[in-house]
Amino acid sequence: MTRHVDVLIIGAGLSGIGMACHLTRENTGRSYLILERRTAIGGTWDLFRYPGIRSDSDMYTFGFGFRPWIGTKVLADGPNIRQYIEDTAAEYGVTKNIRFGRKVTRASFDSNESLWTVQVLDEQTGQTETYTSDFLIGCTGYYDYDKGYQPSFPGQEDFTGQIVHPQHWPEDLDYTGKKVVVIGSGATAITLIPSMSKDAAHVTMLQRSPTYIAALPADDPVAVGLKFARVPAAVAYKAGRARNIALQRASYQLSRTNPKLSRKLMLAAVRAQVGPNIDMRHFTPSYDPWDQRLCVVPNGDLFRILRSGKASIATDHIETFTPKGIRLRSGEELEADIIVSATGLTVQMLGGAALEVDGETLATRDLVAYKGALLSNVPNAMVILGYTNASWTLKADLAAEYFCRLLNHMKAEGYSQVVAVPEEGDRSEASLMGGALTSGYIQRGDGVMPRQGTRGPWLVINNYFRDRAMLRKGAIEDGILRFRREVKREAVATAESRSA
């Protein structure tokens, strides 16, 4: 049986749940379903279960703009974020509209019918299902849930211990009293080190090159003060959110306009945290601030554990794995019972589903992003990708609001189709995310990531304030979007399937 809805959302993580809530909040009057491959709400926050998993953005801006995050923690842990997403879904009646265990394999649009046909595998039963919709929203993020990025290390088959990737953390992994080496210097690695050090005999952070790291208070002092003063949660959240958006933007802008000063300030703050006995070369990157994403640690927990001697840091290249650990290019050997390969993500779009328009299979790399949300020459569709230089949810919220504006405009004007059509020269060779950061996963994902444009709404600006004005107030009909009036088509769903 074919199931039809107005809007089909792929993914029940932060973006997908937010999109569904906005469809209700903005009074679009559209029916919707969410197809989620996993068996629970949460996306990233349901997948990752490694010790200490937490956000790397403050919760005032990482939470939804329409639903306050209640709490004073600056960086929340994974279980609390997952619960926040579940509670939001329940509050807005979203949960009943989620179909779990569904892997989308192909999405095809028929311009004559103004219709998406989506092929789905029910991974629990092995049966194939078909869904149709007027609009399709990709909320799968940009990485492969099946496999993280795992480079092939020389001699790794000789290692007699256990090799673990954080994306697939074994529930029964016991590292108590054991020597652990964590390969990596990003957000995952700096989260794992303090958490594992509580029980491990020793943890070594092995990095090829340093990352900029900043310490933040575990609890927001302003939030604590407002809570003590019994300021309503919604008011405190709105004020804290506005403050943190401004601070994020100011920090990023300083890094881009005066990288020497920004670098000096960041490294001075790290020196004050690590003390005189730790070599600053481990914290002095070769690139400018915000060429790669800035990492944050609550209450300087990473620095504190390094000072204590429970953990150490090595900056070198791996020559080979050995039976007992890792030998570095310098000749030093790091002994290990467990090696954690916190080496990053494998980039993937639309959860790996094939994308077709009128029988032609499209490569996402050939498409250009319009306003960072719609894809060129793909009608009635949106892909939500959050910010890389600020909290993901800030852009996800704006994109969802914009799409609801677009839906309401189309209903008022009697349109059935919308498509963003670029002109010659609008497409650049820069990745949608490549203009902001040079991180390894972004470079590796260049082969699948949509392009950004060269001008106007095709150009990704990664600026919340400018995006807010464009997505909330900018003209819908701007000469770039092409619209088509309602077309007659045969019913594709019975009343029973429409109510499913």
Side-chain angles (χ1 to χ4, degrees), residues 8 10 35 37 103-110 115-121 131 136-138 140 348-365 367 375 378 381 383 448:
L8 195 60
I10 307 175
L35 301 177
R37 186 179 177 187
K103 178 183 179 181
V104 176
T105 58
R106 182 173 298 274
S108 307
F109 187 77
D110 185 329
L115 188 72
W116 280 101
T117 300
V118 178
Q119 301 299 322
V120 176
L121 174 65
Y131 294 80
L136 184 71
I137 315 292
T140 59
Q348 181 185 73
M349 295 299 298
L350 295 174
L355 180 67
E356 289 182 355
V357 173
D358 296 329
E360 179 184 358
T361 300
L362 303 180
T364 49
R365 191 188 191 280
L367 307 177
L375 297 179
V378 183
V383 173
V448 298

Side-chain angles (χ1 to χ4, degrees), residues 120-395:
V120 176
L121 174 65
D122 183 337
E123 294 193 313
Q124 294 180 327
T125 66
Q127 295 181 337
T128 299
E129 301 173 340
T130 301
Y131 294 80
T132 60
S133 65
D134 302 322
F135 299 90
L136 184 71
I137 315 292
C139 296
T140 59
Y142 55 76
Y143 69 90
D144 188 338
Y145 275 40
D146 288 329
K147 57 182 183 298
Y149 175 64
Q150 179 68 67
S152 179
F153 296 108
Q156 68 182 51
E157 66 279 358
D158 297 328
F159 179 58
T160 57
Q162 189 170 0
I163 301 175
V164 176
H165 194 286
Q167 189 166 319
H168 305 287
W169 195 267
E171 290 185 10
D172 59 350
L173 182 65
D174 183 10
Y175 49 88
T176 303
K178 295 182 179 180
K179 296 177 182 178
V180 180
V181 174
V182 178
I183 303 173
S185 60
T188 301
I190 67 169
T191 299
L192 281 166
I193 307 301
S195 183
M196 298 186 75
S197 294
K198 297 174 184 176
D199 298 312
H202 188 82
V203 181
T204 303
M205 175 176 166
L206 172 58
Q207 59 181 9
R208 185 170 53 187
S209 58
T211 298
Y212 286 104
I213 302 175
L216 293 177
D219 289 281
D220 187 323
V222 176
V224 172
L226 292 175
K227 185 176 182 179
F228 182 77
R230 297 185 179 179
V231 174
V235 175
Y237 184 70
K238 185 175 182 180
R241 184 177 174 86
R243 176 201 62 185
N244 286 3
I245 290 173
L247 288 174
Q248 279 182 6
R249 188 62 204 171
S251 172
Y252 179 77
Q253 195 66 23
L254 175 64
S255 297
R256 307 321 285 168
T257 58
N258 196 337
K260 288 185 179 180
L261 175 60
S262 179
R263 177 184 177 90
K264 183 178 180 180
L265 293 173
M266 287 185 182
L267 295 183
V270 171
R271 166 51 74 199
Q273 289 276 342
V274 299
N277 298 323
I278 296 178
D279 194 333
M280 277 297 292
R281 71 184 181 88
H282 299 306
F283 299 97
T284 307
S286 59
Y287 57 87
D288 286 334
W290 274 111
D291 281 352
Q292 297 183 24
R293 191 174 175 90
L294 175 69
C295 290
V296 292
V297 291
N299 278 351
D301 60 0
L302 174 67
F303 305 130
R304 187 171 60 253
I305 206 71
L306 290 171
R307 290 197 309 268
S308 74
K310 285 280 290 177
S312 58
I313 186 167
T315 303
D316 205 337
H317 287 69
I318 294 173
E319 181 175 287
T320 184
F321 278 34
T322 68
K324 294 183 178 181
I326 298 174
R327 186 166 67 244
L328 305 179
R329 189 176 292 175
S330 63
E332 180 185 2
E333 183 162 351
L334 302 177
E335 290 189 6
D337 301 301
I338 298 172
I339 295 175
V340 181
S341 181
T343 45
L345 309 169
T346 298
V347 174
Q348 181 185 73
M349 295 299 298
L350 295 174
L355 180 67
E356 289 182 355
V357 173
D358 296 329
E360 179 184 358
T361 300
L362 303 180
T364 49
R365 191 188 191 280
D366 295 335
L367 307 177
V368 194
Y370 168 85
K371 295 189 176 180
L374 307 184
L375 297 179
S376 62
N377 300 319
V378 183
N380 291 15
M382 168 182 273
V383 173
I384 291 185
L385 292 172
Y387 288 125
T388 54
N389 65 339
S391 294
W392 174 278
T393 323
L394 290 176
K395 180 61 180 292

Side-chain angles (χ1 to χ4, degrees), residues 384-441:
I384 291 185
L385 292 172
Y387 288 125
T388 54
N389 65 339
S391 294
W392 174 278
T393 323
L394 290 176
K395 180 61 180 292
D397 263 347
L398 289 177
E401 289 178 38
Y402 170 75
F403 191 74
C404 291
R405 282 183 64 212
L406 183 59
L407 288 179
N408 288 338
H409 178 80
M410 292 179 69
K411 179 179 286 188
E413 298 295 328
Y415 295 136
S416 65
Q417 276 187 45
V418 59
V419 61
V421 181
E423 296 181 1
E424 186 176 354
D426 281 342
R427 181 184 184 278
S428 79
E429 287 303 315
S431 160
L432 178 61
M433 295 193 300
L437 301 178
T438 61
S439 303
Y441 72 93

Side-chain angles (χ1 to χ4, degrees), residues 445-493:
D446 187 72
V448 298
M449 190 64 64
R451 304 296 92 182
Q452 63 172 287
T454 58
R455 61 187 178 92
W458 300 104
L459 186 63
V460 177
I461 52 180
N462 285 303
N463 183 324
Y464 174 79
F465 298 109
R466 290 172 63 184
D467 281 339
R468 183 176 63 182
M470 176 176 66
L471 294 169
R472 286 182 177 174
K473 303 296 183 182
I476 295 291
E477 300 204 33
D478 58 359
I480 296 175
L481 294 185
R482 309 285 177 83
F483 293 91
R484 181 178 174 185
R485 298 286 179 186
E486 290 282 0
V487 296
K488 294 182 179 180
R489 69 167 182 249
E490 296 181 1
V492 294

